[in-house]
Amino acid sequence: MIRRLPSGWEDAIVVCGKCSKKLGGGFGAKGRQSLVKALRKRLGLGKGRKARVGIVETKCLGVCPKRAVVVGRAGGWLVVPEGTDVDQVAAELGLRDR
């Protein structure tokens, strides 16, 4: 039997886990956070289905840029270089603070 579960997500974003692991951080105030954690913290998002936006770290997305992380979303992909300001990434994704 298939069940539906409610979700508070307005949008879903996937981030390549392999790219993130290769960088070992690279984002946030001190450059030590992963892009997923930095985005969640900056935008005040929680984890799980009750969050406003789902930001999910996946397995390899197959793009594999050097010193960057691939971010996917319906309609396109972003290649985000290490050290890019999290606010710039959020703006590029069309995300805003609460």
Side-chain angles (χ1 to χ4, degrees):
M1 175 186 214
I2 298 175
R3 296 186 314 153
R4 287 189 188 267
L5 295 175
S7 169
W9 290 6
E10 297 169 3
D11 201 354
I13 296 167
V14 294
V15 178
C16 180
K18 186 175 179 182
C19 292
S20 293
K21 187 175 180 179
K22 280 184 182 179
L23 289 182
F27 299 94
K30 295 184 180 180
R32 295 182 185 162
Q33 288 182 316
S34 70
L35 182 57
V36 171
K37 287 183 181 181
L39 277 172
R40 281 187 186 140
K41 183 176 180 181
R42 172 62 186 91
L43 298 171
L45 301 174
K47 289 168 50 172
R49 65 187 180 97
K50 294 182 181 180
R52 183 174 51 87
V53 174
I55 301 178
V56 181
E57 194 167 76
T58 66
K59 291 187 176 187
C60 183
L61 294 172
V63 179
C64 305
K66 296 206 185 284
R67 301 184 58 89
V69 177
V70 175
V71 179
R73 166 186 212 183
W77 301 77
L78 295 175
V79 176
V80 181
E82 178 180 24
T84 302
D85 184 47
V86 178
D87 288 329
Q88 183 181 354
V89 177
E92 196 69 37
L93 290 168
L95 299 174
R96 62 198 183 317
D97 291 338
R98 283 187 202 186

Coordinates of all heavy atoms in Angstrom, one line a residue:
M1 N 0.8 -1.2 0.0 CA 0.0 0.0 0.0 C 0.9 1.3 0.0 O 1.8 1.4 0.8 CB -0.9 0.0 1.2 CG -1.7 1.2 1.4 SD -2.5 1.1 3.0 CE -4.0 1.9 2.6
I2 N 0.6 2.2 -0.9 CA 1.4 3.4 -1.0 C 0.7 4.5 -0.1 O -0.5 4.7 -0.2 CB 1.4 3.9 -2.4 CG1 2.1 2.9 -3.3 CG2 2.1 5.3 -2.5 CD1 2.1 3.2 -4.8
R3 N 1.5 5.1 0.7 CA 1.0 6.2 1.6 C 1.7 7.5 1.2 O 2.8 7.5 0.8 CB 1.4 5.9 3.0 CG 0.8 4.7 3.6 CD 1.1 4.6 5.1 NE 2.5 4.8 5.4 CZ 2.9 5.2 6.6 NH1 2.0 5.5 7.6 NH2 4.2 5.4 6.9
R4 N 1.0 8.6 1.4 CA 1.5 9.9 1.3 C 1.8 10.5 2.6 O 1.0 10.4 3.5 CB 0.5 10.8 0.5 CG 0.4 10.5 -0.9 CD -0.4 11.6 -1.6 NE -0.7 11.2 -2.9 CZ 0.0 11.6 -4.0 NH1 1.1 12.3 -3.8 NH2 -0.3 11.2 -5.2
L5 N 3.0 11.2 2.7 CA 3.3 11.9 3.9 C 3.4 13.4 3.6 O 3.9 13.7 2.6 CB 4.7 11.4 4.5 CG 4.8 10.0 4.9 CD1 6.2 9.6 5.3 CD2 3.9 9.8 6.1
P6 N 2.9 14.2 4.5 CA 3.0 15.6 4.2 C 4.4 16.1 4.4 O 5.2 15.6 5.1 CB 2.1 16.3 5.3 CG 2.0 15.3 6.4 CD 2.2 13.9 5.7
S7 N 4.7 17.1 3.6 CA 6.1 17.7 3.6 C 5.9 19.2 3.6 O 5.1 19.8 2.9 CB 6.9 17.3 2.4 OG 8.1 18.0 2.4
G8 N 6.7 19.9 4.4 CA 6.7 21.4 4.4 C 7.6 22.0 3.3 O 7.8 23.2 3.3
W9 N 8.2 21.2 2.5 CA 9.2 21.7 1.5 C 8.5 22.5 0.4 O 7.5 22.1 -0.2 CB 9.9 20.5 0.8 CG 10.8 19.8 1.6 CD1 11.1 19.9 2.9 CD2 11.7 18.7 1.2 NE1 12.0 19.0 3.4 CE2 12.4 18.3 2.3 CE3 11.9 18.1 0.0 CZ2 13.3 17.2 2.2 CZ3 12.8 17.1 -0.1 CH2 13.5 16.7 1.0
E10 N 9.0 23.7 0.2 CA 8.6 24.5 -1.0 C 9.5 24.2 -2.2 O 9.1 24.5 -3.3 CB 8.8 26.0 -0.6 CG 8.0 26.5 0.5 CD 8.4 27.9 1.0 OE1 9.3 28.5 0.4 OE2 7.8 28.3 2.0
D11 N 10.7 23.7 -1.9 CA 11.6 23.4 -3.0 C 12.6 22.3 -2.5 O 12.7 22.0 -1.3 CB 12.4 24.7 -3.3 CG 13.1 24.7 -4.7 OD1 13.0 23.6 -5.4 OD2 13.7 25.7 -5.0
A12 N 13.2 21.6 -3.5 CA 14.2 20.6 -3.1 C 15.5 20.8 -3.9 O 15.4 21.1 -5.1 CB 13.6 19.2 -3.5
I13 N 16.6 20.7 -3.2 CA 17.9 21.0 -3.8 C 18.8 19.8 -3.4 O 18.8 19.3 -2.3 CB 18.5 22.3 -3.2 CG1 17.6 23.4 -3.7 CG2 19.9 22.5 -3.7 CD1 17.9 24.7 -3.0
V14 N 19.5 19.3 -4.4 CA 20.5 18.2 -4.2 C 21.9 18.7 -4.3 O 22.2 19.5 -5.2 CB 20.2 17.0 -5.1 CG1 18.9 16.3 -4.8 CG2 20.3 17.3 -6.5
V15 N 22.8 18.2 -3.4 CA 24.2 18.6 -3.4 C 25.0 17.4 -3.5 O 24.8 16.4 -2.8 CB 24.5 19.4 -2.1 CG1 26.0 19.8 -2.1 CG2 23.7 20.7 -2.0
C16 N 26.0 17.3 -4.4 CA 26.8 16.2 -4.6 C 27.7 15.9 -3.3 O 28.5 16.7 -2.9 CB 27.7 16.3 -5.8 SG 28.8 14.9 -6.1
G17 N 27.5 14.7 -2.7 CA 28.2 14.4 -1.5 C 29.7 14.1 -1.8 O 30.5 14.3 -1.0
K18 N 30.0 13.5 -3.0 CA 31.3 13.2 -3.3 C 32.2 14.5 -3.5 O 33.3 14.6 -3.0 CB 31.4 12.4 -4.6 CG 32.8 11.9 -5.0 CD 32.7 11.0 -6.2 CE 34.1 10.5 -6.5 NZ 34.1 9.7 -7.7
C19 N 31.6 15.5 -4.1 CA 32.3 16.8 -4.3 C 32.5 17.4 -2.9 O 33.6 17.9 -2.6 CB 31.4 17.8 -5.1 SG 31.3 17.4 -6.8
S20 N 31.5 17.4 -2.0 CA 31.6 17.9 -0.7 C 32.7 17.2 0.1 O 33.5 17.9 0.8 CB 30.3 17.8 0.1 OG 29.3 18.6 -0.5
K21 N 32.8 15.9 0.0 CA 33.7 15.2 0.7 C 35.2 15.5 0.2 O 36.1 15.6 1.1 CB 33.5 13.7 0.6 CG 34.3 12.8 1.5 CD 33.9 11.4 1.4 CE 34.8 10.5 2.3 NZ 34.4 9.1 2.3
K22 N 35.3 15.7 -1.1 CA 36.6 16.0 -1.6 C 37.2 17.3 -1.1 O 38.3 17.5 -0.8 CB 36.6 16.1 -3.1 CG 36.6 14.7 -3.8 CD 36.7 15.0 -5.3 CE 36.6 13.7 -6.1 NZ 36.7 14.0 -7.6
L23 N 36.3 18.3 -0.9 CA 36.7 19.6 -0.4 C 36.9 19.6 1.1 O 37.8 20.4 1.5 CB 35.6 20.6 -0.7 CG 35.4 21.1 -2.2 CD1 34.3 22.1 -2.3 CD2 36.7 21.6 -2.8
G24 N 36.2 18.8 1.8 CA 36.4 18.7 3.2 C 36.0 20.0 3.9 O 36.6 20.5 4.9
G25 N 35.0 20.7 3.4 CA 34.5 21.9 3.9 C 34.5 23.0 2.8 O 33.9 22.7 1.7
G26 N 35.1 24.1 3.1 CA 35.3 25.1 2.0 C 34.2 26.2 2.0 O 34.4 27.2 1.3
F27 N 33.3 26.2 2.9 CA 32.2 27.2 2.9 C 32.0 27.6 4.4 O 32.5 27.1 5.3 CB 30.9 26.6 2.3 CG 31.1 26.2 0.9 CD1 31.4 24.9 0.6 CD2 31.0 27.2 -0.1 CE1 31.6 24.6 -0.8 CE2 31.2 26.8 -1.4 CZ 31.5 25.5 -1.8
G28 N 31.2 28.7 4.5 CA 30.9 29.2 5.8 C 31.9 30.3 6.2 O 32.8 30.6 5.5
A29 N 31.7 30.8 7.4 CA 32.5 32.0 7.9 C 34.0 31.6 7.9 O 34.8 32.4 7.5 CB 32.0 32.4 9.3
K30 N 34.3 30.5 8.4 CA 35.7 30.1 8.5 C 36.2 29.1 7.4 O 37.3 28.7 7.4 CB 36.0 29.5 9.9 CG 35.8 30.5 11.0 CD 36.2 29.8 12.3 CE 35.9 30.8 13.5 NZ 36.3 30.3 14.8
G31 N 35.3 28.8 6.5 CA 35.6 27.9 5.4 C 35.8 26.5 5.8 O 36.4 25.7 5.1
R32 N 35.1 26.1 6.9 CA 35.2 24.7 7.4 C 34.0 23.9 7.2 O 34.0 22.7 7.5 CB 35.6 24.7 8.9 CG 37.0 25.3 9.1 CD 37.3 25.2 10.6 NE 38.6 25.9 10.8 CZ 39.0 26.3 11.9 NH1 38.3 26.2 13.0 NH2 40.2 26.9 12.1
Q33 N 32.8 24.5 6.9 CA 31.6 23.8 6.8 C 31.3 23.3 5.3 O 31.8 23.9 4.4 CB 30.4 24.8 7.1 CG 30.3 25.1 8.5 CD 29.1 26.0 8.8 OE1 28.9 26.9 8.0 NE2 28.3 25.7 9.8
S34 N 30.5 22.2 5.3 CA 30.1 21.8 4.0 C 29.1 22.8 3.4 O 28.5 23.5 4.2 CB 29.5 20.4 4.1 OG 28.2 20.4 4.8
L35 N 28.8 22.7 2.1 CA 27.9 23.7 1.5 C 26.5 23.4 2.1 O 25.7 24.4 2.3 CB 27.9 23.5 0.0 CG 27.0 24.5 -0.7 CD1 27.3 25.9 -0.4 CD2 27.1 24.3 -2.2
V36 N 26.1 22.2 2.3 CA 24.8 21.8 2.8 C 24.6 22.5 4.2 O 23.6 23.1 4.4 CB 24.6 20.3 2.9 CG1 23.3 19.9 3.6 CG2 24.6 19.7 1.5
K37 N 25.5 22.3 5.1 CA 25.4 22.8 6.4 C 25.4 24.3 6.4 O 24.7 25.0 7.2 CB 26.5 22.3 7.3 CG 26.3 20.8 7.7 CD 27.4 20.4 8.7 CE 27.1 18.9 9.0 NZ 28.2 18.4 9.9
A38 N 26.3 24.9 5.6 CA 26.4 26.4 5.5 C 25.1 27.0 5.0 O 24.6 28.0 5.5 CB 27.5 26.8 4.6
L39 N 24.5 26.4 4.0 CA 23.2 26.9 3.5 C 22.1 26.8 4.5 O 21.3 27.7 4.7 CB 22.8 26.1 2.2 CG 23.4 26.6 0.9 CD1 23.1 25.6 -0.2 CD2 22.9 28.0 0.5
R40 N 22.0 25.6 5.1 CA 20.9 25.4 6.2 C 21.1 26.4 7.3 O 20.1 27.0 7.7 CB 21.0 24.0 6.7 CG 20.4 23.0 5.8 CD 20.4 21.6 6.6 NE 19.9 20.6 5.7 CZ 20.4 19.4 5.6 NH1 21.4 19.0 6.4 NH2 19.9 18.5 4.8
K41 N 22.3 26.6 7.7 CA 22.5 27.6 8.8 C 22.2 29.0 8.4 O 21.5 29.7 9.1 CB 24.0 27.5 9.3 CG 24.3 28.4 10.5 CD 25.7 28.2 11.0 CE 25.9 29.1 12.2 NZ 27.3 29.0 12.7
R42 N 22.7 29.4 7.2 CA 22.5 30.8 6.8 C 21.0 31.1 6.6 O 20.5 32.2 6.8 CB 23.3 31.0 5.5 CG 23.0 32.3 4.8 CD 23.4 33.5 5.7 NE 23.0 34.8 5.1 CZ 21.9 35.4 5.3 NH1 21.0 34.9 6.1 NH2 21.7 36.5 4.7
L43 N 20.3 30.1 6.1 CA 18.8 30.4 5.7 C 17.9 30.0 6.9 O 16.7 30.1 6.8 CB 18.5 29.6 4.5 CG 19.2 30.0 3.2 CD1 18.9 29.1 2.1 CD2 18.9 31.4 2.8
G44 N 18.5 29.5 8.0 CA 17.6 29.1 9.1 C 16.8 27.9 8.8 O 15.6 27.8 9.3
L45 N 17.3 26.9 8.0 CA 16.5 25.7 7.6 C 16.8 24.6 8.6 O 17.9 24.4 9.0 CB 16.8 25.3 6.2 CG 16.5 26.3 5.1 CD1 17.1 25.8 3.8 CD2 15.1 26.6 5.0
G46 N 15.8 23.8 8.9 CA 16.0 22.6 9.6 C 16.3 21.4 8.7 O 16.5 21.6 7.5
K47 N 16.3 20.3 9.3 CA 16.5 19.1 8.5 C 15.2 18.3 8.5 O 14.3 18.5 9.3 CB 17.6 18.2 9.1 CG 19.0 18.8 9.0 CD 20.0 18.1 9.8 CE 20.1 16.7 9.8 NZ 21.3 16.1 10.5
G48 N 15.1 17.4 7.5 CA 13.9 16.5 7.4 C 12.7 17.1 6.7 O 12.8 18.2 6.1
R49 N 11.6 16.5 6.7 CA 10.5 16.8 5.9 C 9.7 18.0 6.4 O 8.9 18.6 5.7 CB 9.5 15.6 5.7 CG 8.9 15.2 7.0 CD 8.1 13.9 6.7 NE 7.4 13.4 7.9 CZ 6.2 13.7 8.3 NH1 5.4 14.4 7.5 NH2 5.7 13.2 9.4
K50 N 10.0 18.5 7.6 CA 9.3 19.7 8.2 C 10.1 21.0 7.8 O 9.6 22.0 8.1 CB 9.2 19.5 9.7 CG 8.2 18.4 10.0 CD 8.0 18.3 11.5 CE 7.1 17.1 11.8 NZ 6.9 16.9 13.2
A51 N 11.2 20.9 7.2 CA 12.0 22.1 6.8 C 11.2 22.8 5.7 O 10.4 22.2 5.0 CB 13.4 21.7 6.4
R52 N 11.5 24.1 5.5 CA 10.8 24.9 4.5 C 11.4 24.5 3.1 O 10.6 24.4 2.1 CB 11.1 26.4 4.7 CG 10.4 27.3 3.8 CD 10.6 28.7 4.2 NE 11.9 29.1 4.4 CZ 12.8 29.6 3.5 NH1 12.4 29.7 2.3 NH2 14.0 29.9 3.9
V53 N 12.7 24.2 3.0 CA 13.3 23.8 1.8 C 14.1 22.6 2.1 O 14.9 22.5 3.0 CB 14.2 24.9 1.2 CG1 15.0 24.4 0.0 CG2 13.4 26.2 0.9
G54 N 14.0 21.6 1.2 CA 14.8 20.3 1.4 C 16.2 20.5 0.7 O 16.2 20.7 -0.5
I55 N 17.2 20.4 1.5 CA 18.6 20.4 0.9 C 19.2 19.1 1.3 O 19.4 18.8 2.5 CB 19.4 21.6 1.5 CG1 18.8 22.9 1.2 CG2 20.8 21.5 0.9 CD1 19.5 24.1 1.7
V56 N 19.4 18.3 0.3 CA 19.8 16.9 0.5 C 21.1 16.6 -0.2 O 21.3 17.0 -1.3 CB 18.7 15.9 -0.1 CG1 19.0 14.5 0.1 CG2 17.3 16.3 0.4
E57 N 22.0 16.0 0.6 CA 23.3 15.5 0.1 C 23.1 14.1 -0.5 O 22.6 13.2 0.1 CB 24.3 15.5 1.2 CG 25.7 15.4 0.6 CD 26.7 15.7 1.7 OE1 27.0 14.9 2.6 OE2 27.3 16.8 1.7
T58 N 23.5 14.0 -1.8 CA 23.3 12.7 -2.5 C 24.6 12.0 -2.8 O 25.7 12.5 -2.4 CB 22.7 13.0 -3.9 OG1 23.6 13.7 -4.7 CG2 21.4 13.7 -3.8
K59 N 24.6 11.0 -3.5 CA 25.8 10.3 -4.0 C 26.3 11.1 -5.2 O 25.8 12.2 -5.5 CB 25.5 8.9 -4.4 CG 25.2 8.0 -3.2 CD 25.1 6.6 -3.6 CE 24.8 5.7 -2.4 NZ 24.9 4.3 -2.8
C60 N 27.3 10.6 -5.8 CA 27.9 11.4 -6.9 C 26.9 11.7 -8.0 O 26.2 10.8 -8.5 CB 29.1 10.5 -7.5 SG 30.0 11.4 -8.8
L61 N 26.9 12.9 -8.5 CA 26.0 13.4 -9.5 C 26.6 13.2 -10.9 O 26.0 13.5 -11.9 CB 25.5 14.8 -9.3 CG 24.7 15.0 -8.1 CD1 24.4 16.5 -7.8 CD2 23.4 14.3 -8.2
G62 N 27.9 12.9 -11.0 CA 28.6 12.5 -12.2 C 29.2 13.7 -13.0 O 29.6 13.6 -14.1
V63 N 29.2 14.9 -12.4 CA 29.8 16.1 -13.1 C 31.3 16.2 -12.7 O 32.1 16.4 -13.6 CB 29.0 17.4 -12.7 CG1 29.6 18.6 -13.4 CG2 27.6 17.2 -13.2
C64 N 31.6 16.1 -11.4 CA 33.0 16.0 -10.9 C 33.9 17.2 -11.3 O 34.9 17.0 -11.9 CB 33.6 14.7 -11.3 SG 32.6 13.3 -10.7
P65 N 33.6 18.4 -10.9 CA 34.5 19.5 -11.2 C 35.6 19.6 -10.2 O 35.5 19.0 -9.1 CB 33.6 20.8 -11.0 CG 32.6 20.3 -10.0 CD 32.3 18.9 -10.3
K66 N 36.7 20.2 -10.5 CA 37.8 20.4 -9.6 C 37.5 21.5 -8.6 O 37.1 22.6 -9.1 CB 39.1 20.6 -10.3 CG 39.4 19.4 -11.2 CD 40.9 19.3 -11.4 CE 41.3 18.3 -12.4 NZ 41.2 17.0 -11.9
R67 N 37.8 21.3 -7.3 CA 37.7 22.3 -6.3 C 36.3 23.1 -6.3 O 36.3 24.3 -6.2 CB 38.8 23.3 -6.4 CG 40.2 22.6 -6.2 CD 41.3 23.6 -6.2 NE 41.2 24.6 -5.2 CZ 41.7 24.5 -3.9 NH1 42.3 23.3 -3.6 NH2 41.5 25.4 -3.1
A68 N 35.2 22.3 -6.5 CA 33.9 22.9 -6.6 C 32.9 21.8 -6.2 O 33.2 20.6 -6.2 CB 33.6 23.4 -8.0
V69 N 31.6 22.2 -5.9 CA 30.6 21.4 -5.5 C 29.4 21.5 -6.5 O 29.1 22.7 -6.9 CB 30.0 21.7 -4.1 CG1 28.9 20.8 -3.8 CG2 31.1 21.5 -3.1
V70 N 28.8 20.4 -7.0 CA 27.7 20.5 -7.9 C 26.4 20.5 -7.1 O 26.2 19.7 -6.2 CB 27.7 19.3 -8.9 CG1 26.5 19.3 -9.7 CG2 29.0 19.3 -9.7
V71 N 25.5 21.5 -7.5 CA 24.2 21.6 -6.8 C 23.2 21.5 -7.9 O 23.2 22.1 -8.9 CB 24.1 23.0 -6.2 CG1 22.7 23.2 -5.5 CG2 25.2 23.2 -5.1
G72 N 22.2 20.6 -7.7 CA 21.2 20.3 -8.7 C 19.8 20.7 -8.2 O 19.5 20.7 -7.0
R73 N 19.0 21.1 -9.1 CA 17.6 21.6 -8.8 C 16.9 21.4 -10.1 O 17.4 21.5 -11.2 CB 17.7 23.0 -8.4 CG 16.5 23.7 -8.3 CD 16.8 25.2 -8.0 NE 15.6 25.6 -7.2 CZ 15.5 26.8 -6.8 NH1 16.5 27.7 -7.0 NH2 14.5 27.2 -6.2
A74 N 15.6 21.3 -10.0 CA 14.7 21.2 -11.2 C 15.0 22.4 -12.2 O 15.0 23.5 -11.7 CB 13.3 21.2 -10.9
G75 N 15.4 22.1 -13.4 CA 15.7 23.2 -14.3 C 17.2 23.5 -14.5 O 17.5 24.2 -15.4
G76 N 18.1 22.9 -13.7 CA 19.5 23.2 -13.9 C 20.4 22.8 -12.8 O 20.0 22.3 -11.8
W77 N 21.7 23.0 -13.1 CA 22.8 22.6 -12.2 C 23.6 23.8 -12.0 O 23.8 24.7 -12.8 CB 23.6 21.5 -12.8 CG 22.9 20.3 -13.1 CD1 22.1 20.1 -14.2 CD2 22.9 19.1 -12.4 NE1 21.6 18.8 -14.2 CE2 22.1 18.2 -13.1 CE3 23.5 18.6 -11.2 CZ2 21.9 16.9 -12.7 CZ3 23.3 17.4 -10.8 CH2 22.5 16.5 -11.5
L78 N 24.3 23.9 -10.8 CA 25.2 24.9 -10.5 C 26.5 24.2 -10.2 O 26.5 23.2 -9.5 CB 24.8 25.8 -9.3 CG 23.6 26.6 -9.4 CD1 23.3 27.3 -8.1 CD2 23.8 27.7 -10.5
V79 N 27.7 24.8 -10.6 CA 29.0 24.4 -10.1 C 29.5 25.5 -9.3 O 29.8 26.6 -9.7 CB 29.9 24.1 -11.3 CG1 31.3 23.8 -10.8 CG2 29.4 23.0 -12.2
V80 N 29.6 25.2 -8.0 CA 29.9 26.2 -7.0 C 31.3 26.1 -6.5 O 31.7 25.1 -5.9 CB 28.9 26.1 -5.7 CG1 29.3 27.2 -4.7 CG2 27.5 26.2 -6.2
P81 N 32.2 27.0 -6.9 CA 33.6 26.9 -6.5 C 33.8 27.0 -5.0 O 33.0 27.7 -4.3 CB 34.3 28.1 -7.2 CG 33.4 28.5 -8.3 CD 32.0 28.1 -7.8
E82 N 34.8 26.3 -4.5 CA 35.2 26.4 -3.1 C 35.4 27.8 -2.6 O 35.9 28.6 -3.3 CB 36.5 25.6 -2.9 CG 37.0 25.5 -1.5 CD 38.3 24.8 -1.3 OE1 39.0 24.6 -2.4 OE2 38.5 24.3 -0.2
G83 N 34.8 28.2 -1.5 CA 35.0 29.5 -0.9 C 34.0 30.5 -1.4 O 34.0 31.7 -0.9
T84 N 33.0 30.1 -2.3 CA 32.0 31.1 -2.7 C 31.1 31.5 -1.5 O 30.8 30.7 -0.7 CB 31.1 30.4 -3.8 OG1 31.9 30.0 -4.9 CG2 30.1 31.4 -4.3
D85 N 30.8 32.7 -1.4 CA 29.9 33.2 -0.4 C 28.6 32.5 -0.4 O 27.9 32.4 -1.4 CB 29.7 34.8 -0.5 CG 28.9 35.4 0.6 OD1 29.3 35.1 1.8 OD2 28.0 36.1 0.3
V86 N 28.1 32.1 0.8 CA 26.9 31.3 0.9 C 25.7 32.2 0.5 O 24.7 31.7 -0.1 CB 26.7 30.7 2.3 CG1 25.4 30.0 2.5 CG2 27.9 29.8 2.6
D87 N 25.7 33.5 0.8 CA 24.7 34.4 0.3 C 24.5 34.4 -1.2 O 23.4 34.4 -1.7 CB 24.9 35.8 0.9 CG 24.7 35.9 2.4 OD1 23.9 35.2 2.9 OD2 25.3 36.8 3.0
Q88 N 25.7 34.4 -1.9 CA 25.6 34.4 -3.3 C 25.0 33.1 -3.9 O 24.3 33.1 -4.8 CB 27.1 34.5 -3.9 CG 27.1 34.6 -5.4 CD 28.6 34.8 -5.9 OE1 29.5 34.9 -5.1 NE2 28.7 34.7 -7.2
V89 N 25.4 31.9 -3.2 CA 24.8 30.6 -3.6 C 23.3 30.6 -3.4 O 22.5 30.2 -4.3 CB 25.5 29.5 -2.8 CG1 24.8 28.1 -3.2 CG2 27.0 29.4 -3.1
A90 N 22.9 31.1 -2.2 CA 21.4 31.2 -1.9 C 20.7 32.1 -2.9 O 19.6 31.7 -3.4 CB 21.2 31.7 -0.5
A91 N 21.3 33.2 -3.3 CA 20.7 34.1 -4.3 C 20.6 33.4 -5.6 O 19.6 33.5 -6.3 CB 21.4 35.4 -4.4
E92 N 21.6 32.7 -6.0 CA 21.6 32.0 -7.3 C 20.6 31.0 -7.4 O 20.0 30.7 -8.4 CB 23.0 31.4 -7.5 CG 23.3 31.0 -8.9 CD 23.5 32.2 -9.9 OE1 24.0 33.2 -9.5 OE2 23.1 32.0 -11.1
L93 N 20.3 30.3 -6.2 CA 19.3 29.3 -6.1 C 17.9 29.9 -5.9 O 16.9 29.2 -6.0 CB 19.6 28.3 -5.0 CG 20.8 27.4 -5.2 CD1 21.1 26.8 -3.9 CD2 20.5 26.4 -6.2
G94 N 17.8 31.2 -5.7 CA 16.5 31.8 -5.5 C 15.9 31.6 -4.1 O 14.7 31.7 -3.9
L95 N 16.8 31.3 -3.2 CA 16.4 31.1 -1.8 C 16.5 32.4 -1.0 O 17.4 33.2 -1.2 CB 17.2 30.0 -1.1 CG 17.2 28.6 -1.8 CD1 18.2 27.7 -1.1 CD2 15.8 28.0 -1.7
R96 N 15.6 32.5 0.0 CA 15.7 33.7 0.8 C 15.5 33.3 2.3 O 15.1 32.2 2.6 CB 14.6 34.7 0.4 CG 13.2 34.0 0.6 CD 12.1 34.7 -0.1 NE 10.8 34.2 0.1 CZ 10.3 33.0 0.1 NH1 11.1 32.0 0.1 NH2 9.1 32.7 0.3
D97 N 15.9 34.3 3.1 CA 15.7 34.0 4.6 C 14.2 33.9 4.9 O 13.4 34.3 4.1 CB 16.3 35.2 5.4 CG 17.8 35.3 5.3 OD1 18.4 34.2 5.0 OD2 18.3 36.3 5.5
R98 N 13.9 33.4 6.0 CA 12.5 33.2 6.4 C 11.8 34.5 6.4 O 12.0 35.5 6.7 CB 12.4 32.7 7.8 CG 12.7 31.2 7.9 CD 12.4 30.7 9.2 NE 13.1 29.5 9.4 CZ 13.0 28.8 10.5 NH1 12.2 29.1 11.4 NH2 13.7 27.7 10.6

